[in-house]
Each structure stands twice: as structure tokens, then as C-alpha cells.
Amino acid sequence: MRHFFRRKSSCQIAKDRLKILLISDRVNCSPEMMELIKNDIAKVISKYMKIDADNMEIQINTKGTKAGRSGKPSLYANIPIVDVVSADLNLNK
Amino acid sequence: MENQFSPEQKGSEVIVVTSGKGGVGKTTTSANVGTGLAKLGKKVCLIDTDIGLRNLDVVMGLENRIVYNLVDVVEGNCRVKQALIRDKRHQGLYLMPSAQTRDKTAVTPGQMIKVIDHLREQFDYIILDCPAGIEQGFQNAIAGADRALVVTTPEVSAIRDADRIIGLLEANGFKQMDLIINRLRMDMVRRGDMMSAQDVVDILAIPLIGIIPDDENVVIATNQGEPLVGGDSPAGQAYANVVNRVQGKEVPYLNFDKGISFWTKVTGIFHRA
């Protein structure tokens, strides 16, 4: 049955959850702090352009898969831009 | 007789078996790896460092022979030798039990190192069974160790804790850490309902040294107080391979995928009512 609907396997769910969990564990960064960072980034960016803050994502990744735990982590932000033009308007204000 | 079995002897090796999370199989792994090494002719000392919640004595079936324990040694109530229980079934296998009526603060890391250094002269391998958690008991257990076996199961909580432990071991200067994945169920992996060994290795990023299938024979062996390493059961074979890999030998991984039929056959033959 489940085959037809192609639901995400529980194994995949576990891997996805662990990926997020371990990143924050390893850099010792709580989800609350990530939320604060996200809000601050949104605030700064929206000074210059109109962004979709509700759909933005930030993530800390350890770069490179082979490097494993020795690779330095980096912060990725995915910020959907709604309107670039409005940036000028805001600046002129 | 003493050294004839270890020609490549580079002195003794002290291995801590740890996991972070409780109940993933640290004690079972300690008992089986220790017993397996002794079966190969090594002189092995197992130390239960879980003060207050000792279990290794029960898994080894030596609970009735305890007179002195680790805390007695540390406090000078007895000599190191007096606290060692000789396992009569296996030549060269000894257990230093932990104290049941004390707590983790009864021993310090410095005292552990002293005890271990004393034992190094007499043993090829010293295996430390670490308590769950990351508090003083953990610090005591890792203090004198050269290398670590990190035990986990393919579950989110156990992997998370293992990751934490690996971080702490790294911070404490451990260079050699190897992963044992316990209680793997190939049928569930095949269904996509359990992380595979490769998934776990990818996440934790330390070398794999053993995959132990989920096997009811482990429960039976624990009931009987006799580690199953080297026996015909899937877990017994898997532990025998771990023992060889601990010694640096390359051993191919068992193919649990070959089918349930083989398993049920094996468990069927050795099924005890």
C-alpha cells in the first residue's frame, strides 16, 4: 500500500532529523539562537530589499562530506527576495 | 607462557567502551570483546567503571565471586591483585568489579590512571566498561584509555549521544575511536525503517569496527552469564570479527543480507526452551 503513495521512509526521516540535530549539537548552537540569528539577518537584508522572511531558511553545514567532523562549519542562508526594486525606495526614505 | 601469544607486543592497550546513551550494549560489548581476546590467548583485564550500577560482573557470570572492588583498590583497602576475579572458563581473563554501594565521586580520573598503569604491566588488553552519561563516571573511564570503542544503535537518540561522545573524546585527545553498530535489523533496513550501517557511519564519520545484528541469543547469553563471542549465533560471529579487527586484522563484514532463512536456521538449531 505504502508503495503507491511513496511516503518518506522512516529511515529517511531519521537521517534528516539527525542532520539538523547534529549540526546544532556540534556547533553548540541552540534552535532558539538560530531563530535569533535568522531574525537579525532578515532585519538587515530587508533594509535593502523586500524579502519573504517567513520562507527564509538558515542552516549550519559542515562543508565537504569527506572532511567529516574536521571540516569547519559554515552558515547557509536561503532568503527568497520578493522585490529588489523596493530597495531603492527604502534607501531614499 | 606469559608473552608467547603476543609476539607483536607493543605493550598493553587500554580500550574504553562507551556510548553516551544507556542500554545500547556497552557492557555486552565489553564482555564479548574481552572474552574474545582472552579466547585468542591474550591476557585481558575487564574493568567495570560504572560505580553504583555495576553490571559487567553479572553479564560475565562472575557476580558470586566478588570480594573487593575498584573503590577498595583506590582507597587502599586491598591490593590491585586481590580485587581481580579470575574467569575460570578462559585462561588469562580477569574482571575488576565496580562498587555497588558507592557513587561515581568515589574515584577520580587520576586514581583511575594509577590503577590502569599498574595493570598495564600484567595485561595485553585492559577493557574499560564506561557508564552511561558524560559526567564524572565518563571522565573516570576515559582518563586512562588509549583508544575507544563507541557503541551505538541505529536510532536517532543513540546516534545523537554517540556524536556528543565522539566530540568529547576528540576534545580529550583521543586519536583512535572506532564505531560498533549494535542491534541492526536487516529486515527493517530493507524495508526502509531503520538506518543502515552505512547511514550511521556517514553521520558519525569515524571508522567502523563492527556491526552486531539484533540477536535474541544475546539475551540468552546474558541470562546464562556467558558471553556468546565466537559461538555460532550471528551476534557471536559478529563479535568474533570485532575482536579480530580490534587487533588490527582485516575481516570482511558478515553478509546479514543473505536472508532470514539462514538466521532462523541458526537460531532454530540453538534454540533453548
Side-chain angles (χ1 to χ4, degrees):
Chain A
M1 262 298 244
R2 205 170 52 172
H3 225 68
F4 289 101
F5 298 104
R6 272 257 159 249
R7 282 230 322 262
K8 214 176 184 184
S9 72
S10 69
C11 163
Q12 194 56 51
I13 296 170
K15 281 195 278 183
D16 293 345
R17 288 174 63 208
L18 267 168
K19 219 164 124 190
I20 309 285
L21 194 62
L22 294 191
I23 285 163
S24 53
D25 277 4
R26 282 175 191 174
V27 298
N28 203 7
C29 183
S30 65
E32 293 81 42
M33 195 168 126
M34 291 292 280
E35 196 58 36
L36 290 176
I37 294 173
K38 188 176 125 180
N39 290 342
D40 280 0
I41 291 175
K43 222 185 280 171
V44 173
I45 304 288
S46 43
K47 271 208 253 177
Y48 304 99
M49 52 187 75
K50 201 169 173 200
I51 60 164
D52 180 4
D54 291 336
N55 286 314
M56 83 176 259
E57 281 172 22
I58 66 163
Q59 237 179 48
I60 295 173
N61 285 343
T62 39
K63 73 168 180 211
T65 44
K66 270 276 172 278
R69 27 187 81 249
S70 51
K72 286 234 162 51
S74 47
L75 183 76
Y76 287 88
N78 187 359
I79 311 168
I81 299 167
V82 178
D83 193 0
V84 190
V85 189
S86 66
D88 290 328
L89 294 174
N90 276 337
L91 276 182
N92 291 337
K93 258 187 228 168
Chain B
M1 187 73 187
E2 295 266 333
N3 288 323
Q4 124 190 15
F5 292 104
S6 37
E8 76 282 3
Q9 204 174 27
K10 304 161 282 188
S12 66
E13 196 159 46
V14 184
I15 308 171
V16 61
V17 180
T18 181
S19 71
K21 188 176 178 297
V24 297
K26 284 180 296 297
T27 303
T28 307
T29 299
S30 303
N32 279 289
V33 171
T35 306
L37 286 164
K39 280 185 172 180
L40 293 175
K42 302 290 178 191
K43 283 203 82 181
V44 181
C45 179
L46 290 161
I47 306 181
D48 190 347
T49 65
D50 199 345
I51 300 164
L53 290 169
R54 74 173 171 214
N55 275 320
L56 188 54
D57 52 333
V58 179
V59 175
M60 294 293 296
L62 299 171
E63 68 272 21
N64 292 328
R65 298 187 37 215
I66 297 176
V67 182
Y68 294 109
N69 58 51
L70 178 62
V71 176
D72 289 324
V73 172
V74 163
E75 292 182 344
N77 300 333
C78 70
R79 282 173 289 118
V80 174
K81 215 172 173 183
Q82 289 176 292
L84 292 175
I85 304 168
R86 190 174 67 86
D87 190 326
K88 291 170 184 161
R89 295 160 300 187
H90 305 286
Q91 172 101 35
L93 182 60
Y94 292 80
L95 169 72
M96 182 176 292
S98 151
Q100 183 71 340
T101 53
R102 302 291 295 270
D103 66 83
K104 318 276 187 226
T105 55
V107 176
T108 66
Q111 289 168 324
M112 276 307 294
I113 293 173
K114 242 172 116 182
V115 174
I116 290 167
D117 280 346
H118 185 93
L119 292 167
R120 271 182 200 268
E121 296 160 18
Q122 306 157 49
F123 291 98
D124 299 319
Y125 287 95
I126 298 164
I127 315 265
L128 298 149
D129 182 22
C130 181
I134 53 173
E135 295 84 20
Q136 183 164 358
F138 170 73
Q139 297 297 339
N140 286 341
I142 67 166
D146 305 321
R147 58 185 284 200
L149 297 180
V150 179
V151 184
T152 189
T153 59
E155 291 157 47
V156 177
S157 50
I159 293 170
R160 181 193 200 178
D161 289 0
D163 189 76
R164 189 82 207 281
I165 286 294
I166 293 165
L168 289 171
L169 289 171
E170 268 177 348
N172 279 279
F174 274 74
K175 296 276 183 291
Q176 193 177 3
M177 295 171 279
D178 298 290
L179 183 66
I180 293 181
I181 300 168
N182 196 12
R183 283 199 214 116
L184 192 74
R185 283 185 55 181
M186 271 323 292
D187 56 328
M188 289 189 74
V189 173
R190 248 178 267 127
R191 287 205 307 266
D193 280 331
M194 183 177 272
M195 278 178 270
S196 70
Q198 190 57 52
D199 291 336
V200 181
V201 172
D202 286 346
I203 292 167
L204 291 176
I206 62 168
L208 183 68
I209 201 167
I211 304 170
I212 315 298
D214 189 31
D215 183 353
E216 59 182 36
N217 289 294
V218 173
V219 179
I220 296 169
T222 309
N223 288 344
Q224 295 169 332
E226 171 116 45
L228 46 60
V229 61
D232 293 312
S233 61
Q237 291 176 26
Y239 270 122
N241 288 347
V242 172
V243 169
N244 279 313
R245 292 190 198 105
V246 164
Q247 293 181 289
K249 291 180 192 136
E250 284 215 15
V251 187
Y253 282 87
L254 297 170
N255 188 3
F256 304 121
D257 231 353
K258 264 196 187 129
I260 304 284
S261 59
F262 167 70
W263 277 47
T264 29
K265 240 189 268 167
V266 171
T267 48
I269 290 167
F270 294 94
H271 185 78
R272 281 153 240 179

Short mmCIF file of all heavy atoms in Angstrom, two decimals, chain B residues 114-150:
data_model
loop_
_atom_site.label_atom_id
_atom_site.label_comp_id
_atom_site.label_asym_id
_atom_site.label_seq_id
_atom_site.Cartn_x
_atom_site.Cartn_y
_atom_site.Cartn_z
N LYS B 114 46.21 5.69 37.73
CA LYS B 114 47.18 4.97 38.56
C LYS B 114 46.90 3.46 38.56
O LYS B 114 47.81 2.65 38.39
CB LYS B 114 47.11 5.50 40.00
CG LYS B 114 48.43 6.13 40.46
CD LYS B 114 48.25 6.80 41.79
CE LYS B 114 49.10 6.14 42.86
NZ LYS B 114 48.89 6.79 44.18
N VAL B 115 45.63 3.11 38.73
CA VAL B 115 45.25 1.69 38.73
C VAL B 115 45.58 1.05 37.38
O VAL B 115 46.15 -0.05 37.31
CB VAL B 115 43.73 1.53 39.04
CG1 VAL B 115 43.30 0.08 38.89
CG2 VAL B 115 43.42 2.03 40.44
N ILE B 116 45.22 1.78 36.31
CA ILE B 116 45.46 1.23 34.97
C ILE B 116 46.95 1.06 34.70
O ILE B 116 47.39 0.03 34.16
CB ILE B 116 44.81 2.14 33.90
CG1 ILE B 116 43.28 2.02 33.99
CG2 ILE B 116 45.28 1.78 32.50
CD1 ILE B 116 42.52 3.06 33.22
N ASP B 117 47.74 2.04 35.10
CA ASP B 117 49.18 1.94 34.88
C ASP B 117 49.76 0.72 35.58
O ASP B 117 50.66 0.05 35.07
CB ASP B 117 49.88 3.22 35.35
CG ASP B 117 49.77 4.32 34.32
OD1 ASP B 117 49.40 4.01 33.17
OD2 ASP B 117 50.03 5.49 34.66
N HIS B 118 49.21 0.42 36.75
CA HIS B 118 49.65 -0.75 37.48
C HIS B 118 49.31 -2.03 36.70
O HIS B 118 50.10 -2.97 36.62
CB HIS B 118 48.97 -0.77 38.85
CG HIS B 118 49.44 -1.87 39.74
ND1 HIS B 118 50.46 -1.71 40.64
CD2 HIS B 118 49.04 -3.16 39.85
CE1 HIS B 118 50.67 -2.85 41.27
NE2 HIS B 118 49.82 -3.74 40.82
N LEU B 119 48.09 -2.03 36.11
CA LEU B 119 47.62 -3.23 35.39
C LEU B 119 48.31 -3.43 34.05
O LEU B 119 48.41 -4.54 33.55
CB LEU B 119 46.10 -3.15 35.18
CG LEU B 119 45.25 -3.26 36.46
CD1 LEU B 119 43.82 -2.85 36.19
CD2 LEU B 119 45.31 -4.69 37.00
N ARG B 120 48.77 -2.33 33.46
CA ARG B 120 49.42 -2.41 32.14
C ARG B 120 50.56 -3.40 32.11
O ARG B 120 50.81 -4.06 31.11
CB ARG B 120 49.97 -1.02 31.75
CG ARG B 120 49.00 -0.14 31.01
CD ARG B 120 49.70 1.15 30.65
NE ARG B 120 48.78 2.23 30.36
CZ ARG B 120 48.33 2.53 29.13
NH1 ARG B 120 48.72 1.81 28.11
NH2 ARG B 120 47.51 3.54 28.96
N GLU B 121 51.26 -3.51 33.25
CA GLU B 121 52.42 -4.39 33.30
C GLU B 121 52.03 -5.85 33.14
O GLU B 121 52.83 -6.67 32.69
CB GLU B 121 53.15 -4.21 34.64
CG GLU B 121 53.73 -2.82 34.81
CD GLU B 121 54.00 -2.50 36.28
OE1 GLU B 121 54.06 -3.45 37.09
OE2 GLU B 121 54.14 -1.31 36.59
N GLN B 122 50.81 -6.18 33.53
CA GLN B 122 50.43 -7.59 33.56
C GLN B 122 49.49 -8.03 32.44
O GLN B 122 49.25 -9.21 32.27
CB GLN B 122 49.73 -7.90 34.90
CG GLN B 122 50.52 -7.51 36.11
CD GLN B 122 49.61 -7.31 37.31
OE1 GLN B 122 48.78 -8.17 37.59
NE2 GLN B 122 49.74 -6.19 37.98
N PHE B 123 48.92 -7.06 31.71
CA PHE B 123 47.90 -7.45 30.74
C PHE B 123 48.20 -6.94 29.33
O PHE B 123 48.82 -5.90 29.14
CB PHE B 123 46.52 -6.92 31.17
CG PHE B 123 46.00 -7.61 32.40
CD1 PHE B 123 46.14 -7.02 33.66
CD2 PHE B 123 45.39 -8.84 32.31
CE1 PHE B 123 45.68 -7.66 34.79
CE2 PHE B 123 44.91 -9.49 33.44
CZ PHE B 123 45.06 -8.90 34.69
N ASP B 124 47.71 -7.72 28.34
CA ASP B 124 47.81 -7.28 26.95
C ASP B 124 46.73 -6.24 26.64
O ASP B 124 46.95 -5.28 25.93
CB ASP B 124 47.63 -8.47 26.00
CG ASP B 124 48.70 -9.53 26.21
OD1 ASP B 124 49.87 -9.14 26.41
OD2 ASP B 124 48.37 -10.73 26.20
N TYR B 125 45.54 -6.52 27.18
CA TYR B 125 44.42 -5.61 26.94
C TYR B 125 43.71 -5.30 28.25
O TYR B 125 43.45 -6.19 29.05
CB TYR B 125 43.41 -6.23 25.96
CG TYR B 125 43.90 -6.27 24.54
CD1 TYR B 125 44.52 -7.41 24.04
CD2 TYR B 125 43.76 -5.17 23.70
CE1 TYR B 125 44.99 -7.45 22.74
CE2 TYR B 125 44.22 -5.20 22.40
CZ TYR B 125 44.83 -6.34 21.93
OH TYR B 125 45.28 -6.37 20.65
N ILE B 126 43.39 -4.02 28.41
CA ILE B 126 42.55 -3.60 29.53
C ILE B 126 41.32 -2.96 28.92
O ILE B 126 41.42 -2.01 28.14
CB ILE B 126 43.30 -2.62 30.45
CG1 ILE B 126 44.53 -3.31 31.04
CG2 ILE B 126 42.38 -2.10 31.55
CD1 ILE B 126 45.54 -2.37 31.65
N ILE B 127 40.15 -3.53 29.21
CA ILE B 127 38.90 -3.04 28.64
C ILE B 127 38.10 -2.36 29.72
O ILE B 127 37.79 -2.96 30.76
CB ILE B 127 38.06 -4.21 28.06
CG1 ILE B 127 38.93 -5.16 27.25
CG2 ILE B 127 36.85 -3.67 27.29
CD1 ILE B 127 39.00 -4.96 25.82
N LEU B 128 37.76 -1.11 29.49
CA LEU B 128 37.01 -0.35 30.48
C LEU B 128 35.56 -0.21 30.04
O LEU B 128 35.27 0.31 28.96
CB LEU B 128 37.62 1.05 30.62
CG LEU B 128 39.06 1.11 31.12
CD1 LEU B 128 39.77 2.30 30.52
CD2 LEU B 128 39.10 1.15 32.62
N ASP B 129 34.65 -0.70 30.87
CA ASP B 129 33.22 -0.56 30.59
C ASP B 129 32.76 0.76 31.20
O ASP B 129 32.74 0.93 32.41
CB ASP B 129 32.46 -1.75 31.20
CG ASP B 129 30.98 -1.69 30.89
OD1 ASP B 129 30.61 -1.01 29.92
OD2 ASP B 129 30.20 -2.32 31.63
N CYS B 130 32.43 1.69 30.32
CA CYS B 130 32.11 3.05 30.74
C CYS B 130 30.63 3.16 31.14
O CYS B 130 29.78 2.52 30.54
CB CYS B 130 32.38 3.98 29.55
SG CYS B 130 32.09 5.71 29.82
N PRO B 131 30.31 3.96 32.15
CA PRO B 131 28.89 4.17 32.47
C PRO B 131 28.23 5.08 31.43
O PRO B 131 28.92 5.76 30.68
CB PRO B 131 28.93 4.86 33.84
CG PRO B 131 30.27 5.49 33.92
CD PRO B 131 31.19 4.66 33.09
N ALA B 132 26.90 5.07 31.40
CA ALA B 132 26.18 6.00 30.53
C ALA B 132 26.38 7.41 31.05
O ALA B 132 26.74 7.62 32.20
CB ALA B 132 24.70 5.63 30.50
N GLY B 133 26.15 8.38 30.18
CA GLY B 133 26.27 9.77 30.60
C GLY B 133 27.62 10.36 30.27
O GLY B 133 28.50 9.69 29.72
N ILE B 134 27.77 11.65 30.58
CA ILE B 134 29.02 12.33 30.26
C ILE B 134 29.61 13.00 31.49
O ILE B 134 30.43 13.89 31.40
CB ILE B 134 28.79 13.38 29.14
CG1 ILE B 134 27.65 14.33 29.52
CG2 ILE B 134 28.51 12.73 27.82
CD1 ILE B 134 27.48 15.48 28.56
N GLU B 135 29.18 12.54 32.67
CA GLU B 135 29.64 13.17 33.90
C GLU B 135 30.92 12.51 34.41
O GLU B 135 31.65 11.90 33.65
CB GLU B 135 28.54 13.13 34.97
CG GLU B 135 27.31 13.95 34.61
CD GLU B 135 26.35 13.16 33.72
OE1 GLU B 135 26.46 11.91 33.71
OE2 GLU B 135 25.53 13.78 33.03
N GLN B 136 31.12 12.55 35.71
CA GLN B 136 32.39 12.09 36.24
C GLN B 136 32.70 10.63 35.92
O GLN B 136 33.86 10.27 35.67
CB GLN B 136 32.45 12.30 37.75
CG GLN B 136 33.83 11.87 38.27
CD GLN B 136 34.14 12.37 39.65
OE1 GLN B 136 33.36 13.07 40.26
NE2 GLN B 136 35.31 11.99 40.13
N GLY B 137 31.67 9.79 35.91
CA GLY B 137 31.89 8.37 35.59
C GLY B 137 32.54 8.22 34.22
O GLY B 137 33.45 7.41 34.04
N PHE B 138 32.07 9.01 33.27
CA PHE B 138 32.65 9.01 31.92
C PHE B 138 34.09 9.50 31.96
O PHE B 138 34.99 8.89 31.38
CB PHE B 138 31.78 9.87 31.01
CG PHE B 138 32.37 10.17 29.65
CD1 PHE B 138 32.42 9.19 28.67
CD2 PHE B 138 32.86 11.43 29.36
CE1 PHE B 138 32.96 9.46 27.43
CE2 PHE B 138 33.40 11.72 28.12
CZ PHE B 138 33.46 10.73 27.15
N GLN B 139 34.30 10.61 32.67
CA GLN B 139 35.65 11.17 32.77
C GLN B 139 36.62 10.16 33.39
O GLN B 139 37.76 10.03 32.94
CB GLN B 139 35.63 12.46 33.61
CG GLN B 139 34.80 13.60 33.00
CD GLN B 139 35.33 14.08 31.65
OE1 GLN B 139 36.50 13.86 31.33
NE2 GLN B 139 34.47 14.71 30.87
N ASN B 140 36.15 9.45 34.44
CA ASN B 140 36.99 8.43 35.06
C ASN B 140 37.36 7.34 34.06
O ASN B 140 38.51 6.91 34.00
CB ASN B 140 36.23 7.76 36.23
CG ASN B 140 36.13 8.66 37.43
OD1 ASN B 140 36.89 9.63 37.57
ND2 ASN B 140 35.19 8.37 38.31
N ALA B 141 36.35 6.90 33.30
CA ALA B 141 36.56 5.76 32.41
C ALA B 141 37.52 6.09 31.28
O ALA B 141 38.32 5.25 30.87
CB ALA B 141 35.21 5.29 31.84
N ILE B 142 37.45 7.31 30.76
CA ILE B 142 38.28 7.63 29.60
C ILE B 142 39.68 8.09 29.99
O ILE B 142 40.58 8.11 29.15
CB ILE B 142 37.64 8.69 28.67
CG1 ILE B 142 37.54 10.06 29.36
CG2 ILE B 142 36.26 8.24 28.21
CD1 ILE B 142 37.23 11.19 28.38
N ALA B 143 39.85 8.44 31.26
CA ALA B 143 41.11 9.08 31.68
C ALA B 143 42.34 8.27 31.30
O ALA B 143 43.31 8.81 30.79
CB ALA B 143 41.07 9.34 33.18
N GLY B 144 42.29 6.96 31.54
CA GLY B 144 43.50 6.16 31.32
C GLY B 144 43.51 5.40 30.02
O GLY B 144 44.38 4.56 29.80
N ALA B 145 42.55 5.67 29.14
CA ALA B 145 42.40 4.84 27.94
C ALA B 145 43.23 5.36 26.76
O ALA B 145 43.44 6.55 26.61
CB ALA B 145 40.93 4.76 27.54
N ASP B 146 43.69 4.39 25.92
CA ASP B 146 44.45 4.74 24.72
C ASP B 146 43.54 4.94 23.52
O ASP B 146 43.83 5.70 22.62
CB ASP B 146 45.43 3.62 24.36
CG ASP B 146 46.35 3.28 25.52
OD1 ASP B 146 46.77 4.22 26.22
OD2 ASP B 146 46.63 2.08 25.73
N ARG B 147 42.48 4.17 23.50
CA ARG B 147 41.57 4.21 22.36
C ARG B 147 40.15 3.92 22.83
O ARG B 147 39.96 3.47 23.96
CB ARG B 147 42.00 3.21 21.27
CG ARG B 147 42.06 1.78 21.78
CD ARG B 147 42.60 0.81 20.74
NE ARG B 147 41.61 0.52 19.72
CZ ARG B 147 41.66 -0.56 18.93
NH1 ARG B 147 42.67 -1.42 19.06
NH2 ARG B 147 40.76 -0.79 18.02
N ALA B 148 39.19 4.16 21.96
CA ALA B 148 37.79 4.00 22.36
C ALA B 148 37.01 3.19 21.35
O ALA B 148 37.25 3.26 20.14
CB ALA B 148 37.14 5.36 22.55
N LEU B 149 36.08 2.38 21.86
CA LEU B 149 35.07 1.77 21.01
C LEU B 149 33.76 2.48 21.35
O LEU B 149 33.32 2.47 22.49
CB LEU B 149 34.93 0.26 21.32
CG LEU B 149 36.14 -0.63 21.07
CD1 LEU B 149 35.81 -2.08 21.42
CD2 LEU B 149 36.60 -0.53 19.61
N VAL B 150 33.17 3.12 20.35
CA VAL B 150 31.92 3.84 20.56
C VAL B 150 30.78 2.95 20.09
O VAL B 150 30.72 2.57 18.92
CB VAL B 150 31.92 5.18 19.80
CG1 VAL B 150 30.60 5.91 20.00
CG2 VAL B 150 33.09 6.05 20.24
#
